[in-house]
Amino acid sequence: MEVNGKDDLNVPLLRPPDDVVVNIPQPTNNKDKKIRMVKFKIGDIKCASCATTVESVLQKLDGIENAVVSPLQGLAAINYIPELIKVKKIREAIEEAGFPVDEFPEQDISVCRLRIKGMACTSCSESVERALQMVDGVKKAVVGLALEEAKVHFDPNLTDTNCIIEAIEDAGFGAELISSENDANKVHLTVEGVNYPEDLTIIQSSLESVVGVNHVEMNLEENKITVTYDPDFTGPRSLINCIKEVGNGSKLYNACLFVAPIRREAQQQQEIRLYRDQFLFSCVFSVPVFVFSMVLPMLPPYGNWLDYKIHNMLTIGTLLRWILCTPVQFIIGRRFYVGSYHALRRKSANMDVLVALGTNAAYFYSVYIVIKALTSDKFEGQDFFETSAMLIPFILLGKYLEVLAKGKTSDALSKLTDLAPDTAHLLTLDNDGNVVSEVEISTQLLQRNDIIKIVPGAKVPVDGIVIDGQSHVNESMITGEAIPIAKGPGDKVIGGTMNENGCLLVKATHVGSETALSQIVQLVEAAQLARAPVQKLADKISRFFVPTVVAAAFITWLGWFITGQAGVYPEYWIPKATNKFELALQFGISVLVVACPCALGLATPTAVMVATGKGASQGVLIKGGNALEKAHKVKIVVFDKTGTLTIGKPEVVSVVLFSSYSMEEFCDMATAAEANSEHPMAKAVVEHAKRLRQKFGSPTEHFTDVKDFEVHTGAGVSGKVGDVTVLVGNKRLMRACKVPIGPEVDDYISKNEKLARTCVLVAIDGKVAGAFAVTDPVKPEARRVISYLRSMSISSVMVTGDNLATATAIANEVGIDKVFAETDPLGKADKIKELQMKGMAVAMVGDGINDSPALVAADVGMAIGAGTDVAIEAADIVLIKSNLEDVVTAIDLSRKTMSRIRLNYVWALGYNILGMPIAAGILFPFTGIRLPPWLAGACMAASSISVVCSSLLLQYYKKPLHAEN
């Protein structure tokens, strides 16, 4: 018998005789051509002839590699070259042939995050954005200056991450891929023992045969394998074991997780070291220049030797200053030339252009002075070598301190990232639940459904459910809740939290990028990248600022030079050993340097970075600068009732029958109808009905299946239980279904509504059979929060699907004056729009599920009590805890941040607005005070440092209600 290849293992031994096989072409690995596949459904395919017709039409198109159409399902699989043909054209060709395209895929959009190197100011970040938007296929690009990252949305059919990185590098900046959207269920493995291409083929076919593996990419040069998988079926650990098992005899393979060589923190440290080393290296030259220019000439006779003439009028002092200044100007200052070249090539201007212009003007004028002194025996002139020799070190010192401070703005995010432990104790259990083995493995190798042991004092590695043990878990690092939470079997635990006193066995439910901690980090990173509307001001200013500064510097030089030549000001104004041209040049260079708008670009993003990080550490996740800016304008907060103002765990406090049905039958009917509902009140009714059934009937649980089950939004549920129609819900449902409500039922409802209870009516075959009175206690902090919001000049409104009497009773209890009751989810959104029509900024606080339309309609949507489900799309702000105090925290933090941003603009523009006139010499005629270029450089550096340090003060933010307590 012949030995079959591994691929034969995937072919079924017996095929049904009527099985029709469509060979789906696989994308070819062609280095010269980038080939992609598209699949869609074609209508009116009635036979094999129709399929052949479509195939022949497609094959005639330029750029189509191959196409296969199934005659049974009408499915088409087409390989094409995106550079030659677009998907839209393929569709049009099929439709022109007379076949409609039924299920056309929406435009495929991918997202990637990149680290950008070499950005100095807002002008740089705008240049990167422009370069990205010019790439064919890029739909949206956002560049964060403070974060030094870019988020790019692109069409993978038209471009890829390599083209995007190339475009950034062409614009003169460095770029490095951080992550792409498809990395969620993707693992990169390094393989050992691979020497030949055949080895990789064996490993690839082995991995592809694993259940749950979707795609395998091989890289022979780096011995690296990238596997895309379904986490429900497999995971990194299983894949590594699969590779190890392939080896046999002399061929042994090993695999481990591929770890990216450079992390963000390491790069930050590298950048800090670079600026520090450049500054110290520049000091080696600039300190002697400072001594020779400004110290020794003031200390005769120690400085007399500097005036010794070497040839004609060229002195030792001038020659030494020239020799020492040149390395600073061209070696240490090279980065400014490179930056200027790329900026001017992009037809823009940035800090590098201003510094290069200023230092070059001073340096080459000084070189002209040297040449004149060397060739003339009567010429007297003052050089400015100390200007560039001291200006560049001051700018480097400023950048060093700025980078140092900027690193601290992401401290909160770094702390969140470091919360997850590196290792975990993995248990293997037998069928009886006994521990068979225990092994310590990397947290990255954990998979869904793994059983993990968490000892006292250890951190929880991933999200999961406790299956055994009792303990208290400190969740303060994730939720901001200071008191440890008791955990037992069935309770959820969050990755990154600390187990305090007991041993827990936890079943992993979310691993890798799916954990709450990973999602929080991703959400905060996205928020720090999102641009606040207030930043548009800085962007507008920076666009025309640099050209304006260059013009102002030229006008300053021209003004002083012309007035000097015309004799407008007296000769004694001119300092000793300086002429009119040199005095004018010094003023011009000072204006050029002091007015650099670097700090302007940092004013908003640094504050947003610190605020979002601080908020995340306190359980308040703010999705970017836009949400932050809108929240500070909020004048009305709309609260949902159930689960927001109330605890959200309703309890049945009384049951009454209005018919001849027994309590057992009544409970069975109610339970069967409510069992499929997710509403908290339905769950409370089901739980209570189960307890009553055990009390009045047999303890054996038996629930009849419900047919024609229907949810009536904001009213209740209905369905057929056996032969009878059962309705469970409020008065609105009964009226809608024409169920009469007698005086006895009405009296029972009124009595309970006055006690802030909700009545759940049960109607069987068109008659009210009984009712449950449900109460949901108000949160203890609710009244205090409403009162505090009132002190912040914010009014509160309650909107609920419950009846008016119950809603009013709860509103009175917490101190809310305005109530909208008996409102369905879409009605809540309409109420919010009505309030917005009055010109008010409205925030909506809800649970993020039933309240999604209202959260989207509001100016600021706050999803409360998110717990581990932090990726709530509808919300602008996600509150992890169910504590209403966080609503106040979110609004207060946004107000503090916006006032901090305004202060930052004062710092950023203050140096420029005050510094420019002084640098231009406005005080010189009256006081003799002028700003030397090197001191102007120090002012420019100080403005950036002031802004970053101002933003860092937000790290000391305290919750207002906690501070009050």
Side-chain angles (χ1 to χ4, degrees):
M1 184 184 273
E2 269 185 17
V3 178
N4 293 328
K6 272 196 176 284
D7 291 341
D8 295 340
L9 296 172
N10 298 326
V11 180
L13 292 172
L14 294 172
R15 290 186 183 178
D18 59 344
D19 197 18
V20 178
V21 177
V22 178
N23 292 315
I24 303 296
Q26 293 301 312
T28 315
N29 288 327
N30 194 321
K31 287 183 182 178
D32 301 321
K33 294 183 289 186
K34 186 165 66 176
I35 297 171
R36 297 200 179 275
M37 178 192 279
V38 66
K39 296 178 186 177
F40 42 76
K41 191 171 174 64
I42 302 171
D44 292 350
I45 300 286
K46 294 166 184 171
C47 59
S49 175
C50 297
T52 310
T53 304
V54 175
E55 284 176 10
S56 61
V57 166
L58 292 171
Q59 294 289 2
K60 288 175 188 173
L61 296 173
D62 187 30
I64 299 290
E65 284 289 293
N66 49 28
V68 175
V69 180
S70 161
L72 291 185
Q73 296 106 341
L75 290 170
I78 303 152
N79 278 337
Y80 69 101
I81 302 167
E83 286 87 352
L84 300 177
I85 191 167
K86 302 289 181 280
V87 177
K88 191 179 175 185
K89 194 175 178 184
I90 297 171
R91 176 187 179 171
E92 286 169 358
I94 296 168
E95 288 176 339
E96 280 172 17
F99 297 94
V101 177
D102 294 337
E103 293 175 15
F104 187 71
E106 289 297 313
Q107 191 177 33
D108 189 13
I109 298 294
S110 292
V111 182
C112 69
R113 278 177 58 233
L114 303 159
R115 183 160 292 119
I116 313 291
K117 301 171 194 169
M119 292 194 297
C121 58
T122 313
S123 176
C124 297
S125 61
E126 283 192 342
S127 299
V128 175
E129 263 182 35
R130 276 198 300 272
L132 287 168
Q133 281 159 358
M134 285 168 71
V135 176
D136 188 30
V138 169
K139 304 298 173 189
K140 184 186 173 188
V142 182
V143 180
L145 173 64
L147 203 59
E148 294 179 338
E149 284 184 14
K151 189 175 183 181
V152 187
H153 298 250
F154 64 96
D155 184 349
N157 296 316
L158 299 176
T159 189
D160 57 24
T161 50
N162 293 330
C163 294
I164 290 166
I165 289 170
E166 203 176 300
I168 295 168
E169 287 171 348
D170 284 347
F173 301 92
E176 185 182 278
L177 184 67
I178 300 172
S179 66
S180 65
E181 194 181 51
N182 305 324
D183 287 348
N185 294 319
K186 189 183 276 188
V187 65
H188 304 280
L189 303 173
T190 305
V191 186
E192 296 168 10
V194 174
N195 303 314
Y196 305 102
E198 295 78 29
D199 295 335
L200 280 179
T201 308
I202 292 166
I203 292 169
Q204 183 172 4
S205 57
S206 174
L207 287 170
E208 284 172 345
S209 66
V210 174
V211 176
V213 169
N214 299 327
H215 184 61
V216 180
E217 284 178 31
M218 315 296 285
N219 186 330
L220 181 60
E221 291 174 10
E222 297 179 16
N223 283 354
K224 185 177 151 192
I225 299 176
T226 304
V227 185
T228 308
Y229 62 94
D230 186 338
D232 287 327
F233 296 100
T234 188
R237 197 173 69 254
S238 301
L239 298 172
I240 288 170
N241 290 338
C242 173
I243 293 168
K244 288 177 181 176
E245 287 166 9
V246 175
N248 52 19
S250 59
K251 278 283 178 192
L252 293 174
Y253 305 117
N254 199 5
C256 60
L257 286 169
F258 172 77
V259 181
I262 298 175
R263 289 183 65 203
R264 182 174 174 177
E265 291 79 9
Q267 277 202 330
Q268 273 182 349
Q269 290 304 316
Q270 189 182 339
E271 192 180 13
I272 288 167
R273 279 197 300 274
L274 177 73
Y275 279 117
R276 185 197 63 194
D277 294 346
Q278 283 189 336
F279 167 67
L280 293 174
F281 183 46
S282 67
C283 286
V284 171
F285 302 100
S286 59
V287 170
V289 170
F290 175 73
V291 172
F292 296 156
S293 302
M294 299 183 182
V295 179
L296 289 178
M298 310 284 287
L299 301 171
Y302 303 107
N304 291 351
W305 61 276
L306 292 169
D307 295 327
Y308 180 76
K309 293 181 179 64
I310 300 168
H311 183 73
N312 283 341
M313 300 302 286
L314 180 66
T315 62
I316 287 176
T318 305
L319 185 64
L320 283 173
R321 286 194 291 274
W322 186 20
I323 292 166
L324 290 167
C325 170
T326 303
V328 177
Q329 181 71 34
F330 296 107
I331 298 172
I332 298 162
R334 180 178 175 273
R335 64 188 303 279
F336 299 110
Y337 286 102
V338 173
S340 301
Y341 165 72
H342 287 299
L344 294 171
R345 204 185 73 176
R346 297 188 302 265
K347 296 178 182 173
S348 68
N350 60 6
M351 178 196 83
D352 294 331
V353 173
L354 294 180
V355 173
L357 268 173
T359 55
N360 275 333
Y363 180 83
F364 286 108
Y365 175 74
S366 301
V367 170
Y368 161 76
I369 296 292
V370 169
I371 294 166
K372 286 285 285 180
L374 194 63
T375 54
S376 169
D377 57 354
K378 293 179 182 175
F379 175 79
E380 283 188 15
Q382 177 68 34
D383 64 81
F384 293 132
F385 285 122
E386 76 279 358
T387 297
S388 60
M390 291 171 67
L391 177 58
I392 289 171
F394 265 112
I395 290 167
L396 290 172
L397 175 62
K399 290 299 285 181
Y400 166 66
L401 294 172
E402 182 190 316
V403 171
L404 206 62
K406 240 162 61 174
K408 293 187 185 300
T409 59
S410 55
D411 268 1
L413 189 59
S414 302
K415 284 174 187 171
L416 278 173
T417 311
D418 294 338
L419 282 178
D422 295 326
T423 59
H425 292 275
L426 178 69
L427 302 182
T428 307
L429 307 181
D430 61 16
N431 294 333
D432 299 324
N434 300 316
V435 177
V436 176
S437 67
E438 181 181 332
V439 62
E440 190 173 3
I441 64 163
S442 166
T443 304
Q444 291 176 304
L445 293 176
L446 288 175
Q447 297 172 193
R448 271 189 207 165
N449 301 320
D450 278 346
I451 307 299
I452 314 148
K453 184 170 97 172
I454 302 155
V455 296
K459 284 182 179 177
V460 179
V462 291
D463 297 355
I465 294 172
V466 177
I467 58 168
D468 191 30
Q470 298 281 343
S471 183
H472 282 79
V473 175
N474 184 351
E475 297 182 345
S476 61
M477 58 287 293
I478 302 287
T479 65
E481 183 62 66
I483 302 164
I485 312 295
K487 299 288 179 182
D491 290 333
K492 288 182 180 178
V493 287
I494 306 171
T497 54
M498 180 73 76
N499 182 26
E500 298 227 323
N501 51 5
C503 185
L504 295 174
L505 296 193
V506 173
K507 183 180 182 180
T509 55
H510 295 83
V511 296
S513 60
E514 298 172 342
T515 63
L517 182 61
S518 293
Q519 288 186 18
I520 289 168
V521 170
Q522 287 166 32
L523 200 145
V524 174
E525 283 177 339
Q528 292 181 348
L529 205 54
R531 191 167 292 176
V534 71
Q535 199 176 334
K536 287 175 185 172
L537 171 68
D539 294 345
K540 281 177 186 172
I541 292 171
S542 67
R543 276 193 199 105
F544 63 82
F545 206 85
V546 174
T548 307
V549 167
V550 173
F554 180 73
I555 291 165
T556 301
W557 170 79
L558 205 62
W560 277 99
F561 182 62
I562 290 170
T563 51
Q565 292 292 352
V568 174
Y569 59 81
E571 290 286 333
Y572 67 84
W573 279 16
I574 303 167
K576 192 181 174 185
T578 306
N579 61 32
K580 293 164 187 172
F581 176 84
E582 290 164 0
L583 180 67
L585 186 67
Q586 278 198 346
F587 283 128
I589 293 168
S590 295
V591 169
L592 207 59
V593 177
V594 81
C596 184
C598 300
L600 207 58
L602 295 169
T604 302
T606 51
V608 170
M609 278 177 75
V610 178
T612 50
K614 186 67 181 173
S617 67
Q618 299 193 351
V620 178
L621 303 180
I622 301 165
K623 293 186 181 178
N626 197 13
L628 203 62
E629 188 167 338
K630 282 181 180 175
H632 95 283
K633 297 175 182 173
V634 166
K635 291 295 173 193
I636 298 174
V637 177
V638 177
F639 291 93
D640 178 40
K641 181 179 78 74
T642 307
T644 303
L645 288 170
T646 62
I647 288 169
K649 290 184 180 174
E651 291 178 352
V652 177
V653 288
S654 76
V655 184
V656 67
L657 294 173
F658 299 114
S659 66
S660 57
Y661 285 98
S662 69
M663 185 59 78
E664 187 180 357
E665 287 173 315
F666 175 72
C667 289
D668 278 349
M669 296 289 183
T671 305
E674 289 279 56
N676 294 322
S677 176
E678 288 295 315
H679 197 281
M681 283 197 184
K683 290 178 181 175
V685 167
V686 170
E687 285 299 315
H688 193 77
K690 282 180 187 177
R691 285 198 296 271
L692 281 177
R693 195 182 183 287
Q694 288 173 353
K695 183 178 176 183
F696 291 99
S698 70
T700 312
E701 289 189 1
H702 170 71
F703 302 120
T704 312
D705 287 336
V706 64
K707 293 173 185 174
D708 303 329
F709 178 79
E710 189 181 348
V711 175
H712 302 267
T713 311
V717 297
S718 65
K720 227 170 170 52
V721 181
D723 298 326
V724 296
T725 302
V726 180
L727 302 172
V728 184
N730 56 21
K731 275 200 291 189
R732 194 143 47 97
L733 179 65
M734 300 301 146
R735 287 197 199 103
C737 297
K738 296 184 172 55
V739 175
I741 297 172
E744 189 186 359
V745 178
D746 218 22
D747 187 49
Y748 178 78
I749 293 169
S750 302
K751 187 173 70 176
N752 280 287
E753 283 177 350
K754 286 173 187 171
L755 298 169
R757 293 172 183 172
T758 304
C759 285
V760 178
L761 305 175
V762 180
I764 302 171
D765 277 344
K767 292 179 183 176
V768 177
F772 296 87
V774 183
T775 185
D776 189 4
V778 169
K779 287 179 180 174
E781 75 278 4
R783 189 170 186 86
R784 193 167 82 256
V785 167
I786 302 301
S787 171
Y788 195 89
L789 286 171
R790 198 175 288 119
S791 72
M792 294 169 76
S793 302
I794 296 171
S795 54
S796 302
V797 174
M798 186 168 85
V799 60
T800 177
D802 212 337
N803 63 78
L804 183 60
T806 305
T808 307
I810 293 211
N812 291 338
E813 194 176 334
V814 298
I816 291 176
D817 301 323
K818 201 166 191 177
V819 178
F820 297 112
E822 297 180 24
T823 314
D824 62 15
L826 291 172
K828 291 178 185 179
D830 292 335
K831 294 294 179 193
I832 283 169
K833 286 170 187 169
E834 282 175 27
L835 293 169
Q836 288 169 328
M837 293 289 279
K838 296 173 184 174
M840 299 283 198
V842 181
M844 169 70 196
V845 185
D847 59 15
I849 302 157
N850 302 327
D851 300 316
S852 291
L855 291 173
V856 172
D859 296 289
V860 181
M862 296 190 195
I864 194 166
T868 55
D869 185 22
V870 296
I872 295 170
E873 291 293 328
D876 300 298
I877 297 173
V878 179
L879 311 175
I880 296 176
K881 293 200 304 295
S882 200
N883 195 321
L884 284 167
E885 288 174 353
D886 288 343
V887 174
V888 173
T889 303
I891 296 170
D892 185 63
L893 179 60
S894 77
R895 287 185 175 185
K896 295 277 196 307
T897 307
M898 289 311 296
S899 64
R900 182 61 56 184
I901 287 170
R902 291 189 197 99
L903 183 62
N904 285 353
Y905 278 124
V906 171
W907 280 114
L909 291 168
Y911 279 91
N912 292 352
I913 291 164
L914 291 173
M916 271 182 77
I918 296 168
I922 198 166
L923 297 178
F924 186 66
F926 316 108
T927 61
I929 293 171
R930 61 195 175 98
L931 203 64
W934 60 270
L935 194 58
C939 287
M940 184 196 77
S943 69
S944 294
I945 296 161
S946 303
V947 164
V948 178
C949 291
S950 168
S951 294
L952 282 173
L953 290 174
L954 282 169
Q955 285 188 336
Y956 300 102
Y957 173 80
K958 294 279 189 294
K959 289 185 176 186
L961 283 175
H962 275 198
E964 215 179 56
N965 292 343

